[in-house]
């Protein structure tokens, strides 16, 4: 059902457990492409993508995730609740829905927190895996939308918990630029043309309100320009039926 692999993206995995096989990549290909390479190297009915700084607080986490996926064949992915090492705190960005005030509420979701998520292998391969060229950021939106467009759904199961340090994504020097670039790429790859402008306009307004640093905001707009110039890859536009399904599920694809 599960096989254990660890990959080093431009580095050698350090002191892995004996039953964990490793892959060492000579250069850093980015998070989503590293995941793709790791997934291709291992078999199994399901794939659990797990950040190297996360921690399984109980032995039954994987078994419970597998049970969720087996219970409903429409499920392409299940995200557990991510909590800080104190066992209580869940950051809003870890809750994969708009109304994130109550992280204990389960339900159907249309996006995922990429670093801790269980995915049905057959569905993952059907849509071509993660968008490897994204390098960092929003690859979970791209993957989720493509899964929904194939008729699958996702689920947030907060009764299953995984611990993760409450780190800030902006600690990465390229965060703001890639955040904006990949936001454009997600839209240009997946959305009907009439929705691309409303989607990007919504996020421009949100980021202007959220980013309080002028250098960071300037970097974000540089990434926005970079995304608009191209590089997004093949367009695989979701159907209007998928737009409707995402909207009914609580997250229309304009936010």
């Amino acid at each position: 059902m599960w096989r254990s692999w660890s990959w080093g993206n431009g580095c050698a995995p350090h002191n892995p457990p004996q039953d964990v096989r490793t892959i060492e990549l000579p250069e850093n290909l980015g998070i989503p492409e590293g995941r793709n390479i790791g997934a291709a190297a291992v078999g199994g009915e399901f794939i659990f993508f797990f950040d190297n700084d996360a921690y399984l607080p109980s032995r039954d986490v994987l078994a419970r995730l597998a049970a969720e996926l087996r219970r409903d064949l429409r499920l392409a992915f299940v995200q557990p609740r991510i909590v800080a090492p104190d066992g209580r705190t869940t950051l809003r960005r870890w809750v994969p829905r708009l109304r994130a005030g109550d992280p204990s509420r389960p339900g159907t979701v249309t996006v995922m927190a990429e670093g801790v998520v269980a995915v049905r292998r057959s569905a993952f391969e059907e849509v071509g895996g993660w968008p490897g060229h994204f390098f960092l950021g929003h690859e979970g939106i791209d993957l989720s939308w493509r899964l929904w467009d194939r008729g699958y759904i996702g689920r947030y199961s907060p009764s299953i918990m995984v611990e993760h340090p409450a780190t800030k994504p902006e600690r990465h020097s390229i965060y703001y630029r890639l955040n904006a670039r990949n936001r454009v790429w997600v839209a240009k790859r997946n959305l009907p043309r009439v929705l691309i402008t409303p989607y990007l306009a919504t996020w421009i307004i949100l980021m202007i309100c959220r980013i309080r640093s002028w250098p960071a905001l300037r970097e974000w707009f540089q990434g926005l320009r970079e995304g608009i110039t191209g590089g997004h890859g093949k367009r695989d536009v979701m159907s209007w039926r998928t737009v409707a399904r995402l909207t009914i599920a609580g997250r229309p694809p304009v936010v």
Side-chain angles (χ1 to χ4, degrees):
M1 180 176 60
W2 306 96
R3 299 291 186 273
S4 297
W5 277 84
S6 173
W7 49 270
N9 220 339
C11 66
H14 182 63
N15 291 334
Q18 288 187 344
D19 59 344
V20 173
R21 289 168 287 177
T22 63
I23 300 173
E24 182 178 344
L25 304 181
E27 62 177 305
N28 185 356
L29 302 179
I31 295 173
E33 185 60 13
R35 294 192 191 113
N36 283 336
I37 292 170
V42 65
E45 185 180 0
F46 311 122
I47 313 169
F48 183 52
F49 294 102
F50 185 54
D51 279 357
N52 65 340
D53 54 353
Y55 172 75
L56 300 182
S58 63
R59 293 178 177 271
D60 64 347
V61 168
L62 296 184
R64 294 175 67 190
L65 290 169
E68 291 271 345
L69 287 161
R70 287 207 172 103
R71 208 166 8 244
D72 186 349
L73 295 180
R74 298 175 304 157
L75 271 181
F77 65 92
V78 178
Q79 187 198 312
R81 177 179 174 180
I82 306 172
V83 295
D86 62 13
R88 299 184 304 274
T89 305
T90 295
L91 303 182
R92 292 183 67 89
R93 61 183 170 84
W94 289 340
V95 182
R97 48 179 162 75
L98 290 177
R99 296 186 297 278
D102 180 7
S104 66
R105 179 166 59 87
T108 301
V109 291
T110 65
V111 295
M112 65 177 73
E114 304 95 333
V116 180
V117 64
V119 183
R120 189 181 303 277
R121 172 179 286 280
S122 58
F124 179 79
E125 293 179 347
E126 181 180 341
V127 301
W130 303 97
H133 62 297
F134 275 37
F135 197 87
L136 168 69
H138 304 325
E139 66 269 18
I141 302 174
D142 188 88
L143 177 60
S144 300
W145 280 359
R146 285 185 284 120
L147 290 167
W148 272 79
D149 199 44
R150 299 306 195 279
Y152 296 103
I153 62 174
R155 180 170 296 158
Y156 174 56
S157 296
S159 63
I160 308 171
M161 294 191 184
V162 172
E163 293 182 4
H164 191 291
T167 52
K168 295 182 178 181
E170 56 267 29
R171 71 189 186 280
H172 300 292
S173 61
I174 57 175
Y175 168 75
Y176 287 109
R177 179 176 65 84
L178 297 192
N179 177 284
R181 185 199 68 181
N182 293 356
R183 184 71 69 181
V184 179
W185 284 2
V186 162
K188 294 178 76 171
R189 282 165 57 86
N190 295 281
L191 292 179
R193 292 192 186 280
V194 70
L195 294 183
I196 293 177
T197 297
Y199 177 82
L200 295 180
T202 298
W203 281 102
I204 289 171
I205 294 170
L206 285 173
M207 297 310 290
I208 289 174
C209 295
R210 289 178 179 177
I211 301 176
R212 304 304 175 88
S213 162
W214 167 242
L217 190 61
R218 182 174 55 194
E219 186 177 348
W220 193 87
F221 274 100
Q222 289 174 349
L224 190 74
R225 287 194 295 271
E226 183 179 337
I228 290 172
T229 61
H232 54 277
K234 179 183 176 182
R235 263 177 69 77
D236 187 8
V237 182
M238 68 175 64
S239 68
W240 284 103
R241 180 175 179 272
T242 300
V243 172
R245 291 178 66 231
L246 292 171
T247 303
I248 293 169
R251 190 154 191 166
V254 291
V255 63

